[in-house]
Amino acid sequence: MAERSAAGGDRGGDGCQGLYARLQQRRPIPLDAELHCAPGEVLALVGPSGSGKSTLLRCIAGLHSPQHGELRCAGELWYRRDAAARTVELAPQRRRVGFVFQHFALMPHLCALDNVGLALGHLPRAARAARAGELLARVHLDGLEQRRPAQLSGGQQQRVALARALARDDPRGPAVLLLDEPFSAVDQVTRRKLRREMVGLTRELRIPILLVTHDLDEARMLGDQLCVLHNGETLQQGRPEEVLERPVSASVARLIDLRNLFEARLVEHDAAAGLSRIDWCERRLDAPLDRRFRPGDPLCFCIAPERILLHQRVRPSRGAAENPLVAQIRDMISVGGLVSVLLDGSCGERLEMDLPPHVAQRNGLRIGDEIGVSLLSESIHLMPWQALR
């Protein structure tokens, strides 16, 4: 548990109006997780397959009971089991949970209107159709109420499942919305459209929303908070840009596929300049002052590919004097609207730099070229040492 980030402070306890979960078990899937999500926030859960993401959602929904822990939502205690075997456990139907399953779990013999109506048992029968129609309109499916799932596209089925989750068999609606890989069953074009719609919808809802995803771009786009899980353990939670650029450990950096991750050694601190100097591949680099490390200590560091500065050939930058190095372009790959430039340094080190296509074109970059770059000191993030090989 040493790697766990304290980002976000203590949101647990009796005063929690959002969602707070601290859940532990040894089997069948190990869990040692703690997370928090405020009302109106989207918490994206990321991690490799088998890391416990879906199990966490099932625990929150009451579909699985962990061995120990505590779960609170909207000021209510939903679950508690401690070492003295004192237990509070609300049944699933008493938890105000909206759940969108990975494959939607729609009733194939029912139309969209009736699928949503299944969650409206708290309303008089005569009022259910009207409310179901309102919820379908909210997710932009008005006019398709009478179609069965087989007559709907994957994206439309996903919206029916979302409307049903928002209905919830409770007059107050759901207290938390759980989304388990909600875009995995649709094509890439539909996925982009649904993501944009989800951004708008989540802004309207003032409840915690937990999103399980394998897609870091999706987590960055939709998440107000990002939680990294591995082997059932929470390693770090924080704002997406904080986690993706400043992981608490090399383990987290690897799990989020941070491409520039290296071992180095601390040389000295320069308190007056606010810098820590490190030795990496026979060169000195300046990094933000970090007194966790002492001179001589081994450490790891990372720098995001978009934070590496190209020394422009047409108009040199003042940043060219900051942690400069010369490298050779080994390869160039266009990915997601950026050009990923793979570099070989003079000591065999390999770096990746992401550039907008027009910058690569303007500077005439070609495979085999020797170029100058800078590892801007403010973007170098130091972490405790771990063997990377």
Side-chain angles (χ1 to χ4, degrees), residues 56-314:
L56 269 175
L57 295 195
R58 290 172 55 81
C59 289
I60 292 167
L63 304 176
H64 177 79
S65 180
Q67 293 172 328
H68 302 287
E70 181 177 325
L71 173 63
R72 294 182 176 274
C73 188
E76 298 176 349
L77 179 63
W78 285 4
Y79 173 86
R80 178 190 284 156
R81 182 176 294 168
D82 58 25
R86 291 187 293 267
T87 301
V88 174
E89 187 165 8
L90 263 63
Q93 60 269 26
R94 294 185 59 196
R95 303 185 188 193
R96 293 163 50 207
V97 173
F99 205 140
V100 177
F101 295 91
Q102 185 171 357
H103 297 290
F104 314 141
L106 300 177
M107 297 297 178
H109 62 289
L110 297 179
C111 66
L113 195 72
D114 290 340
N115 263 286
V116 177
L118 289 175
L120 293 169
H122 59 285
L123 295 179
R125 184 177 298 274
R128 292 175 196 172
R131 179 57 178 154
E134 291 173 5
L135 290 166
L136 287 171
R138 188 175 188 180
V139 295
H140 311 296
L141 286 180
D142 39 328
L144 302 179
E145 296 88 348
Q146 298 304 317
R147 292 193 184 181
R148 294 185 179 184
Q151 299 171 305
L152 298 170
S153 69
Q156 290 167 340
Q157 291 180 42
Q158 192 251 16
R159 293 185 219 173
V160 175
L162 180 58
R164 184 183 58 188
L166 294 176
R168 186 59 191 146
D169 196 358
D170 189 292
R172 296 169 293 175
V176 61
L177 182 61
L178 308 179
L179 308 174
D180 191 2
E181 296 275 5
F183 309 115
S184 64
V186 299
D187 61 85
Q188 195 68 30
V189 174
T190 303
R191 182 178 300 183
R192 285 195 293 268
K193 182 178 180 180
L194 290 174
R195 282 175 180 169
R196 289 193 294 269
E197 292 179 358
M198 183 65 72
V199 169
L201 180 62
T202 54
R203 288 173 181 162
E204 298 174 16
L205 300 174
R206 298 303 301 168
I207 60 174
I209 300 173
L210 270 63
L211 167 70
V212 166
T213 179
H214 282 87
D215 190 326
L216 285 170
D217 290 333
E218 189 169 279
R220 187 196 291 260
M221 176 182 178
L222 296 177
D224 302 291
Q225 293 273 313
L226 183 65
C227 181
V228 181
L229 295 166
H230 185 53
N231 291 332
E233 182 180 351
T234 304
L235 298 186
Q236 185 174 1
Q237 179 177 338
R239 297 185 308 278
E241 62 273 16
E242 171 192 347
V243 176
L244 295 173
E245 294 186 13
R246 313 190 79 78
V248 297
S249 68
S251 295
V252 173
R254 281 176 155 165
L255 287 169
I256 61 176
D257 195 29
L258 214 161
R259 289 167 280 165
N260 294 320
L261 177 63
F262 307 104
E263 297 177 59
R265 186 174 299 275
L266 183 71
V267 177
E268 62 181 2
H269 294 303
D270 185 343
L275 298 172
S276 293
R277 293 192 171 90
I278 62 175
D279 178 58
W280 173 62
C281 291
E282 303 178 5
R283 63 171 63 86
R284 297 289 173 90
L285 299 179
D286 290 340
L289 184 65
D290 192 335
R291 292 193 179 278
R292 291 179 299 167
F293 308 102
R294 296 177 298 178
D297 281 353
L299 51 81
C300 290
F301 78 93
C302 62
I303 182 168
E306 64 270 21
R307 300 293 187 181
I308 296 179
L309 177 70
L310 172 68
H311 297 176
Q312 296 189 42
R313 297 170 174 176
V314 293

Side-chain angles (χ1 to χ4, degrees), residues 319-340:
E322 188 173 341
N323 293 335
L325 62 91
V326 174
Q328 186 177 44
I329 298 177
R330 178 164 54 95
D331 204 354
M332 297 172 62
I333 304 169
S334 294
V335 180
L338 291 172
V339 176
S340 183

